[in-house]
Every structure is written in structure tokens, then in C-alpha cells.
Amino acid sequence: MTPAREEDARWMALALREAEKAWRLSPPNPSVGAVIVRDGRVVGAGFTQQTGGPHAEIMALRNAFERGESVDGATIYVTLEPCSHYGRTPPCARALIENRLGRVVAAVRDPNPEVAGRGLRMLEDAGIEVSCGVLEHEAWLANAGFLTRMTTGRPWVRLKCAATLDGRTAFEDGRSQWITGPDAREDTQYWRGRAGAVVTGVGTVKADDPQMTVRLPDQKRFPLRVVADARMETPPYARILAGGGTIIAAAEDHPARRAALEAAGAEIWLLPDAGRPGRVDLGKMLDRLGERQVNDVHLEAGAVLNGAFLDADLVDEIVLYTAPCLFGSGRPIAAVAEPASPGAARRWHVADFRQIGGDLRMILRRKA
């Protein structure tokens, strides 16, 4: 393994931009970007396609060949270690060797047990210069869901909420449309589109009858929809059941309700929490979603379910939209347990803060 060079970060940043193009397309595969550089200029670029399609390295090679460029001795910058195994596609490391790349710069090692350093070793054994760790933190965040699932077995959990300046998500009677403007609502669709599963609670289903779908014209891959519904109270006619792909995570079995929900196309998971009777075991739910190759969970729920996830320390990231208005009273973002003192409240790291249309969006992550 050779040390990074001064210019490597510049080219890896371009590869990370390519990776962003795969966020809504490639899961459950990682969202990877690749850039091929020869004689100080980009000769090919690409990103991972839908499952079963080419990986980023192959797309970058194709792009170079379509442009009539040579990759002989070139450097490829890739945001995740090239794969070394035969899956739905041949190993990318082998393709780089066969096309006589001179150097491979990877941002992050792939913890997938089928790769786990073997891709880099395969390249080195073939005489290709290899560097790893360039913009590693940024590349880890770009693939946080996949890397989390590969290392813990569970998805990355992203809690999305929209609130007023005084932290209210709805009136006391449940009315909430629309707190934020159209730009923020469209932005939410992109976050949903990245997810492998959208999770909500039965209270939200009964109050709002949401579809929880991704309403973007170019969306090709659609997430599972999951309702945390301890007593199977989701109405069989609820819009969230339309089209299939909906899971009801319950704590109690009610045969007649189960039969009606299954007839409506729902899949039922019985996941009682041994420590809290009548509650869904949220950790087990995440385990099951990890087994279904869900990388990212998009949690879009009410105060009770949000609070349950937060109190169980199951939230990795919060995407909070704040509208420039006040309700004075109403429902909170999350019904969390009160800390011992104001200073003891959990603090989050502010990773990003920007204006989206007429609203503000803050991205918060766990503090290290």
C-alpha cells in the first residue's frame, strides 16, 4: 500500500459526486462513484447502477472507451474498495487488472466479508499501485447505510421531521398540512428515495392515511413501507397498503385483523418486546430489515414512535426541517424521556444547515 498523493483528494471529491448519483439507484448495493484520470485529466467517470447492473468501475471504463480514451497506466479513484468476488457481476478488481490500470486509489475498505481487503490485495498482487483512505470520512458518510449494515447487521436510521420554530409538528387535533413549503416537501422525497425502507407508526396511518411512497418521476427503485402497529390496527383500506411491499410490525397477534391485512397485501411480522409488553421490539425490527438487505431506514412518524426510537438509541441521523412560523401549542417532535437536567439532554452534531425554499434544513448526527 502506497501513501496518498497531494492531488488525490481533488480527484476523489469528483468520485464522491459520482457516488451521489447512485444514492437512489444502487441499494442494496453500495452507492459508489469512480473517476479515471490520465495525464492530469478525467478520461472516464461512472457510478453503480441498479442491482444486477454494472458497478462504478465498469461504468467509468465504459465511459472512457466510449470517448475513445486510453486507460493504460491511468489512475482510478473509487469511493469504495473494488470488489473481488463473483456475485451478480464479475469482480471489478479483475476488470481493472485486465484493462492495465496503473494505480487504484480507494476511499474506504469494503467490510463485506466477501471483499474485506481482498480486492486491494488482488490489485497489489497484479503489480498495480494501491492507496486507500483518501477522503475516508466523507466516503464513509456517502455509504453510511451499507457500511453500517455490513458491520452491525442493522440499517442506518434517519429520522425525518418537520416542525415550527417552537418545535410543533401538528396542532393538538393532529392537523399538520402543510408546515413546510413545496421545496422542503420535494427535498423529503429525495431522502425517502435513498431509503430501503420507510417506517411510520399506526398513529400516523390512522390520522393522515399517508401513502409513504416516493413521488419523483425518475425514481426506479422503491423502498419497503413498514408500519409499527402493536395491535394490528392498520385499516385494510389504508393507502399505505396499496401496491404491496408493506410490512406490519406487530406485538400482538389478532387472527381476524391479520387475515384482513394479509388479504390487503401486507406482510406481518410478530415482534413483541419482551421487556415492554404490548410494544414492538424496534431493535428486532431493524435486525429483520437488515436481513432483508435494507441499508437505510427513513423514519417518518409521530412523537410516540420517534421518541421510542430515540430513547432506545436507535437513531443515527436526524433531518429536521424548520418552518418560520409558530403554533403556540401542539404536538412535539418526539416524546422522549425527560433528562435528569437541562444540561444532561443528549446533544447532536450539526453536520449541515441550509435554507430549502422558505424553510431551514438541519442534518444532525450522533456525536462521536
Side-chain angles (χ1 to χ4, degrees):
M1 201 79 62
T2 61
R5 300 175 186 173
E6 187 176 343
E7 70 272 16
D8 286 346
R10 170 193 171 196
W11 300 120
M12 189 61 77
L14 293 180
L16 284 167
R17 290 184 200 170
E18 289 293 315
E20 291 178 10
K21 299 174 185 176
W23 278 345
R24 294 188 292 119
L25 182 66
S26 66
N29 284 343
S31 301
V32 181
V35 169
I36 301 173
V37 176
R38 192 168 189 267
D39 298 328
R41 62 187 184 89
V42 174
V43 297
F47 54 91
T48 303
Q49 301 299 294
Q50 271 186 286
T51 300
H55 292 184
E57 299 93 323
I58 306 305
M59 294 299 293
L61 287 168
R62 288 183 183 179
N63 181 242
F65 298 149
E66 287 167 0
R67 295 163 60 174
E69 298 282 2
S70 170
V71 299
D72 195 356
T75 298
I76 186 167
Y77 294 87
V78 59
T79 59
L80 186 68
E81 175 184 359
C83 64
S84 56
H85 64 291
Y86 283 89
R88 292 185 177 93
T89 60
C92 292
R94 178 61 57 194
L96 299 179
I97 294 167
E98 290 172 351
N99 285 282
R100 297 185 298 183
L101 272 291
R103 183 170 180 250
V104 175
V105 181
V108 181
R109 289 178 182 269
D110 188 345
N112 182 344
E114 295 183 305
V115 184
R118 284 190 287 273
L120 298 178
R121 286 196 299 273
M122 182 186 293
L123 294 164
E124 286 188 308
D125 289 346
I128 294 176
E129 183 184 340
V130 173
S131 297
C132 188
V134 176
L135 297 189
E136 183 174 15
H137 177 69
E138 294 85 346
W140 193 94
L141 288 173
N143 258 317
F146 174 81
L147 296 170
T148 298
R149 178 170 68 85
M150 281 295 148
T151 52
T152 71
R154 289 181 175 179
W156 176 269
V157 177
R158 182 178 294 114
L159 187 159
K160 171 266 171 183
C161 51
T164 61
L165 289 172
D166 50 352
R168 302 299 172 178
T169 62
F171 286 173
E172 291 289 358
D173 62 11
R175 284 179 292 161
S176 62
Q177 294 179 322
W178 294 104
I179 291 176
T180 54
D183 292 327
R185 296 199 297 273
E186 182 178 5
D187 191 63
T188 292
Q189 293 295 315
Y190 285 92
W191 290 102
R192 279 189 195 173
R194 289 181 61 174
V198 176
V199 174
T200 194
V202 66
T204 298
V205 170
K206 291 164 74 174
D208 300 335
D209 195 20
Q211 291 177 292
M212 291 295 179
T213 52
V214 181
R215 295 182 292 276
L216 295 171
D218 62 341
Q219 186 76 19
K220 296 180 180 179
R221 179 200 56 83
F222 294 91
L224 296 169
R225 291 170 293 175
V226 182
V227 182
D229 179 4
R231 289 176 290 280
M232 299 188 191
E233 296 175 325
T234 298
Y237 53 80
R239 295 198 302 166
I240 199 167
L241 300 177
T246 302
I247 296 164
I248 305 295
E252 302 170 0
D253 197 4
H254 296 269
R257 296 177 189 174
R258 173 199 276 263
L261 289 168
E262 289 178 335
E267 179 181 349
I268 308 297
W269 289 356
L270 272 177
L271 302 170
D273 189 327
R276 299 183 305 166
R279 301 280 190 92
V280 173
D281 190 319
L282 300 177
K284 287 182 180 177
M285 184 175 77
L286 293 178
D287 290 336
R288 289 283 296 273
L289 289 171
E291 292 168 5
R292 290 282 284 266
Q293 295 189 306
V294 169
N295 295 336
D296 294 80
V297 160
H298 178 90
L299 175 61
E300 195 167 335
V304 173
L305 188 57
N306 285 346
F309 266 89
L310 287 163
D311 282 343
D313 197 26
L314 297 175
V315 177
D316 299 292
E317 184 174 58
I318 298 172
V319 179
L320 172 64
Y321 298 90
T322 303
C325 62
L326 299 162
F327 279 3
S329 64
R331 299 185 179 182
I333 291 169
V336 296
E338 184 175 287
S341 67
R346 180 177 178 178
R347 306 286 166 166
W348 293 75
H349 167 66
V350 180
D352 187 71
F353 185 78
R354 68 182 66 187
Q355 186 167 345
I356 306 289
D359 305 300
L360 297 176
R361 188 193 72 190
M362 191 175 348
I363 298 176
L364 306 109
R365 299 194 184 106
R366 292 171 176 270
K367 279 196 169 183

